[in-house]
Amino acid sequence: MADIRVRSTDGSDADNGTTWALAKATLAGAAAIDAAGDTIVVSSVHAESTAAAVSLAWAGTAAAPTRILSVDDSADPPTALLPGASITTTGANGITLASASTQYAYWNGFTFNCGTGASAASITIQGKQILSGCAFLLVTTAAASVISLSTGQYELRNCTFKFGATGQGFSVAASGKPQLIVGGQIASGGSNVTTLFNTFALGAKALLYGFDLSALAASVDMAATTSSGAALEMRNCILPPSWTGSVNSANPGRGSVFEMYSCWSGSTEIIWRRKIEFGAGRDETTLVRTGGGKHRGVGVSLKCDTTADAEYPLNTFETLQFAAQVTAAQVGSPVTATVEILHDSVTALTDADIWLTVSGPGGEINSDQVADVFATPAAQASSSATWTTTGMANPNAQKLTVTWTPSKAGVVLGTVSIAAASKTVYVDNMMTVAP
Amino acid sequence: MPIISSTYTVGHAQASGLHYVVETHTWDTGEVSKLEYGPLPSKTDFKSIADTRARQIEADRTKAEAEKAEKEAADAKLATVIDAAVKAGTLTKEDIEKAGLDVDLATVEKAK
């Protein structure tokens, strides 16, 4: 495994890259000779620019990945990372990192500038890669240009992104494992895209943790897709202040889930959002149960709105997962998991309208759902719980209860499913297990 | 396929004093697109937000329909090529399975 040096200021692709004096001039020059496990050390002053598409394919394998590092070239061999190396394409020319989904590579500290003028040119990321501390800038103003999270499994860590037109955005391909963006930000000074993920392919998935998109306009939508099997999960992200957008402004397709947990818009926390084909949910802090679930000391319930297509047993809306505990003292004796609910109707919800499913620590799965499609639904139990019912004409408190005998101590997980069509239900953000 | 009406309803105040807003956009086909956003201060210009959003979701739908038409045309073209290759005997069911092509193999059987 060798180091191959690259430096555009004085390098030549005719040289062998074994010293700074013999550095290659381009990344392509290094990619032409690299072997699995090599480290490509690129001077932080490296700045290659070409009026042609750049597609970099590395020899790295699972056993011997390739590392491409922007480094301080004051030492030979280099001993310190130093961001700054850049790859630029002009005109209608894109940049592809890993030309196949099977390449293993780690990048650190690069800037990728893609396209110029109104020519369509995209940045495509593929393969099994981690790109850390890199910047991806769509310079082109063509609306069709995208930063494509293509086939492969990769992570973009603490990276910066900038777009050149409002119609641009991320495009996500289906690839099994979700594409992961951890940390990083949308840089200020670029165009405010109207939709962050403007394309989700069938089955595509993306996870964003700690990503800062506060530089975008308040109206930005996270997605606008009807694709099936797509999933977007955002946790601890920073949204634009006074955010008026949607987690998905279109109607999600079959099996798609778009959700947010603990994201911030200015000083307002978006505790929970979910949108699927059969409903949408959000956090609610006024219509809450006295003594019920809290978040940062404030009472919270989950407001769940189902669509007209919701229907038992298949077309349901699910809440986030609740967690509680079965103690060692409770093992071997019946316990009851309870979730309180509130809705505005004199007609009770039945066990075909709404139910709780519990997964016990011993692997037990139990539910208070109606027995089957031929069984006669029964009203879920009435509850004496006290709720704030501002604006409700017929507040109706009920509860979902599941009783079972746990075989082990540990964590119990519960989910509420709602099949009643065109219904709004407030679900207490807490599941209790007693006695 | 335009949106012919957009309305909004401002919800009750949350614990923060801010409000969620439900927007309802009705298309000329009678379809209704509904979404909820916020929470925001009550003095926000919700009408302007709703009007801007209507134009955006119209543009999003137009773009999605164009992309769908493009994909369907490409799929039809591919199906024609595959059909011809199967009839000529230069492509088999095994080739198609190996290539992972998204083709109805029953159709391939009929073409043989």
Side-chain angles (χ1 to χ4, degrees), chain A residues 213-292:
Chain A
L213 38 136
S214 59
L216 295 176
S219 56
V220 65
D221 294 318
M222 300 302 107
T225 180
T226 58
S227 287
S228 297
L232 172 64
E233 180 182 313
M234 298 175 67
R235 290 182 184 266
N236 302 317
C237 294
I238 311 295
L239 304 170
S242 302
W243 182 53
T244 62
S246 171
V247 67
N248 184 351
S249 62
N251 296 326
R254 166 70 60 182
S256 290
V257 182
F258 296 82
E259 53 191 351
M260 284 183 180
Y261 296 88
S262 294
C263 293
W264 289 86
S265 170
S267 59
T268 299
E269 185 174 8
I270 310 293
I271 300 170
W272 177 66
R273 292 281 187 281
R274 172 174 290 178
K275 190 170 183 183
I276 68 170
E277 185 179 6
F278 303 114
R282 63 155 172 87
D283 51 274
E284 163 69 32
T285 55
T286 291
L287 301 186
V288 300
R289 178 171 76 92
T290 304

Side-chain angles (χ1 to χ4, degrees), chain B residues 61-71:
Chain B
R61 184 167 288 198
T62 300
K63 180 183 169 207
E65 285 169 354
E67 286 172 353
K68 184 180 170 198
E70 199 178 315
K71 183 177 184 309

Side-chain angles (χ1 to χ4, degrees), chain A residues 335-348:
Chain A
V335 297
T336 297
T338 302
V339 174
E340 303 275 353
I341 62 171
L342 174 75
H343 61 103
D344 193 2
S345 172
V346 296
T347 306

Side-chain angles (χ1 to χ4, degrees), chain A residues 114-141:
Chain A
C114 180
T116 50
S119 308
S122 295
I123 297 174
T124 301
I125 304 168
Q126 289 180 271
K128 295 172 174 51
Q129 306 191 82
I130 291 176
L131 295 106
S132 181
C134 293
F136 301 88
L137 313 177
L138 286 180
V139 180
T140 166
T141 58

Side-chain angles (χ1 to χ4, degrees), chain A residues 73-423:
Chain A
D73 65 6
S74 60
D76 200 353
T79 57
L81 296 173
L82 185 61
S86 67
I87 297 170
T88 298
T89 59
T90 58
N93 295 297
I95 297 173
T96 300
L97 303 179
S99 57
S101 63
T102 52
Q103 294 174 14
Y104 289 77
Y106 170 84
W107 294 77
N108 189 299
F110 282 77
T111 296
F112 303 95
N113 302 294
C114 180
T116 50
S119 308
S122 295
I123 297 174
T124 301
I125 304 168
Q126 289 180 271
K128 295 172 174 51
Q129 306 191 82
I130 291 176
L131 295 106
S132 181
C134 293
F136 301 88
L137 313 177
L138 286 180
V139 180
T140 166
T141 58
S145 298
V146 294
I147 296 176
S148 174
L149 308 184
S150 188
T151 52
Q153 291 84 44
Y154 40 81
E155 295 177 22
L156 303 175
R157 295 180 183 166
N158 298 315
C159 292
T160 298
F161 305 89
K162 192 188 271 192
F163 297 99
T166 57
Q168 295 177 356
F170 290 106
S171 169
V172 190
S175 204
K177 180 179 176 284
Q179 308 310 355
L180 186 58
I181 298 179
V182 178
Q185 61 186 336
I186 300 288
S188 60
S191 287
N192 285 330
V193 297
T194 51
T195 309
L196 184 63
F197 288 90
N198 65 13
T199 306
F200 258 98
L202 181 77
K205 297 177 177 56
L207 299 177
L208 275 63
Y209 297 157
F211 188 59
D212 184 351
L213 38 136
S214 59
L216 295 176
S219 56
V220 65
D221 294 318
M222 300 302 107
T225 180
T226 58
S227 287
S228 297
L232 172 64
E233 180 182 313
M234 298 175 67
R235 290 182 184 266
N236 302 317
C237 294
I238 311 295
L239 304 170
S242 302
W243 182 53
T244 62
S246 171
V247 67
N248 184 351
S249 62
N251 296 326
R254 166 70 60 182
S256 290
V257 182
F258 296 82
E259 53 191 351
M260 284 183 180
Y261 296 88
S262 294
C263 293
W264 289 86
S265 170
S267 59
T268 299
E269 185 174 8
I270 310 293
I271 300 170
W272 177 66
R273 292 281 187 281
R274 172 174 290 178
K275 190 170 183 183
I276 68 170
E277 185 179 6
F278 303 114
R282 63 155 172 87
D283 51 274
E284 163 69 32
T285 55
T286 291
L287 301 186
V288 300
R289 178 171 76 92
T290 304
K294 284 183 163 48
H295 183 79
R296 299 185 200 279
V298 176
V300 176
S301 67
L302 309 177
K303 175 179 181 276
C304 305
D305 295 295
T306 57
T307 66
D309 288 338
E311 182 181 316
Y312 176 81
L314 177 64
N315 298 351
T316 55
F317 177 81
E318 279 73 34
T319 64
L320 51 73
Q321 226 172 26
F322 301 102
Q325 195 155 20
V326 164
T327 65
Q330 291 171 311
V331 171
S333 299
V335 297
T336 297
T338 302
V339 174
E340 303 275 353
I341 62 171
L342 174 75
H343 61 103
D344 193 2
S345 172
V346 296
T347 306
L349 292 172
T350 71
D351 53 7
D353 291 327
I354 187 167
W355 60 88
L356 172 65
T357 302
V358 168
S359 169
E364 315 94 2
I365 306 292
N366 293 281
S367 170
D368 66 344
Q369 183 184 56
V370 64
D372 57 53
V373 294
F374 293 112
T376 300
Q380 292 286 13
S382 177
S383 172
S384 59
T386 302
W387 287 75
T388 300
T389 58
T390 304
M392 284 193 166
N394 298 289
N396 192 336
Q398 294 181 260
K399 58 184 175 182
L400 312 176
T401 57
V402 175
T403 299
W404 84 105
T405 300
S407 60
K408 285 185 169 47
V411 176
V412 180
L413 299 175
T415 304
V416 171
S417 299
I418 308 172
S422 303
K423 188 74 183 169

